[in-house]
Amino acid sequence: MAAGPVIGSLGELLVEFVCMEKDGRNLRPATYRGPFPSGAPGIFIDQAARTGARAVFAGAVGTDAFGQVVLDRLVADGVSDAMIRRVALPTGTAHVSYNSDGSRDFVFNMAPSAAAHFPKGREAVEGFLRAGVQVLHVSGSALGDPEMRAAIAEVCEGLHGAGVALSIDPNIRTELMADAGYLAVVRRLIGIADYVLPSDADAALLWPGVGFADWAGTLPARVVALKRGDKGAVARAGGAVVEVPAYAVEVVDPTGAGDCFCGTFVTLLAGGMDLSGALRRAVAAGALAVTALGPMEGNSDLARVEGLLAG
């Protein structure tokens, strides 16, 4: 693995299938492309590895071909598979259908699949500590199922108590909001996180009617960044606020862009880069992510990111 900061994550590993026709909402027969390696925390950790992190992931895939698709990609990009299990269940899946207005419809098979069987409790906490993890990142996409949610919260709180920094992308998926506990745990983790990285949609749900300058200042996090899609991003650390516009690119597939942003931003900040430099590169990585079909296909290394910055 690389010699950068040690970044960890846990949660769902999936393969994703992308509908090639718009406005079907996964309701009618259509052609789908895939399997693409996916899962929001998996996209994050892959991008962290490509950005230079020593990347550690706690997850699970099936003993099927789809599981091999995910494992092959992560290992090839430098993610440690020491905490990734192979279990006798089907690998998790996601089907996504895009609409003309830019919205997306997902169908997930997560909790009943291998994806829910990642290392938990003391096993996960001790595994991350042995690996020397400095930052653990959590995606809200993994918190929809009550059992997965409880397990992830326990690991986060255990590592937080051991002095490991936490990063959270609320990544709120309405398809996964089965009960009120979803948002309650998102808010709880935000309250102990060092890095809080919502999207515009997340912020509108968590802090309705409140502007970034107001809600960001109420959080105990060291760094807060708001992902604003085609408007770029804004971040706050202490008293410093930095805003970066978006890069003009052709959008092929927007899924995974936010995870790429987070993987780049957290890795560079943990590695000692200043807020402005990390934010510019995170926005660039997010822009590159949307230029390829498939949620992890647009992940990029720093050389490609620097090429976009150079124009």
Side-chain angles (χ1 to χ4, degrees):
M1 292 192 290
V6 187
I7 307 295
S9 188
L10 78 167
E12 76 274 15
L13 293 175
L14 313 171
V15 290
E16 187 162 310
F17 295 86
V18 182
C19 186
M20 302 310 296
E21 300 174 20
K22 287 188 176 180
D23 302 314
R25 299 187 178 274
N26 293 312
L27 291 171
R28 61 180 186 237
T31 299
Y32 286 75
R33 286 275 301 276
F36 294 110
S38 187
I43 301 167
F44 167 92
I45 204 66
D46 184 86
Q47 180 61 26
R50 298 196 67 175
T51 304
R54 289 177 284 164
V56 182
F57 193 84
V61 296
T63 54
D64 51 25
F66 290 168
Q68 198 63 49
V69 167
V70 178
L71 275 180
D72 286 349
R73 173 61 58 83
L74 294 180
V75 171
D77 286 345
V79 178
S80 169
D81 64 350
M83 295 175 66
I84 300 178
R85 296 171 169 171
R86 298 204 74 170
V87 300
L89 286 169
T91 298
T93 58
H95 288 72
V96 59
S97 177
Y98 292 102
N99 302 309
S100 298
D101 62 3
S103 64
R104 299 172 289 179
D105 291 284
F106 285 94
V107 174
F108 291 101
N109 174 29
M110 191 182 303
S113 76
H117 293 265
F118 52 86
K120 301 176 175 72
R122 291 307 307 172
E123 178 189 359
V125 171
E126 291 170 3
F128 282 126
L129 291 176
R130 278 195 305 272
V133 165
Q134 297 163 258
V135 183
L136 180 78
H137 177 80
V138 172
S139 171
S141 64
L143 303 175
D145 175 70
E147 291 186 13
M148 290 176 66
R149 179 194 312 147
I152 289 171
E154 181 184 1
V155 173
C156 288
E157 288 164 352
L159 289 173
H160 175 66
V164 174
L166 298 179
S167 165
I168 182 167
D169 175 0
N171 198 15
I172 296 167
R173 291 278 178 262
T174 56
E175 298 91 342
L176 297 172
M177 291 177 66
D179 57 69
Y182 184 106
L183 286 182
V185 170
V186 168
R187 293 183 189 280
R188 193 164 101 218
L189 295 181
I190 286 173
I192 61 173
D194 295 83
Y195 305 89
V196 177
L197 312 170
S199 67
D200 268 338
D202 295 331
L205 196 154
L206 291 166
W207 302 284
V210 181
F212 173 79
D214 294 318
W215 62 257
T218 69
L219 302 181
R222 287 191 285 137
V223 180
V224 180
L226 178 65
K227 306 186 297 283
R228 304 190 300 179
D230 60 6
K231 300 182 192 68
V234 58
R236 172 177 178 155
V241 176
V242 177
E243 188 168 354
V244 173
Y247 294 88
V249 294
E250 181 180 356
V251 177
V252 175
D253 184 352
T255 300
D259 307 307
C260 275
F261 173 100
C262 294
T264 305
F265 191 57
V266 170
T267 299
L268 294 178
L269 288 175
M273 186 173 286
D274 65 277
L275 182 67
S276 178
L279 188 65
R280 289 173 58 235
R281 287 160 180 81
V283 170
L288 290 169
V290 309
T291 62
L293 183 69
M296 207 181 286
E297 306 312 297
N299 286 17
S300 52
D301 56 26
L302 273 180
R304 188 164 176 235
V305 169
E306 296 292 352
L308 182 59
L309 293 180

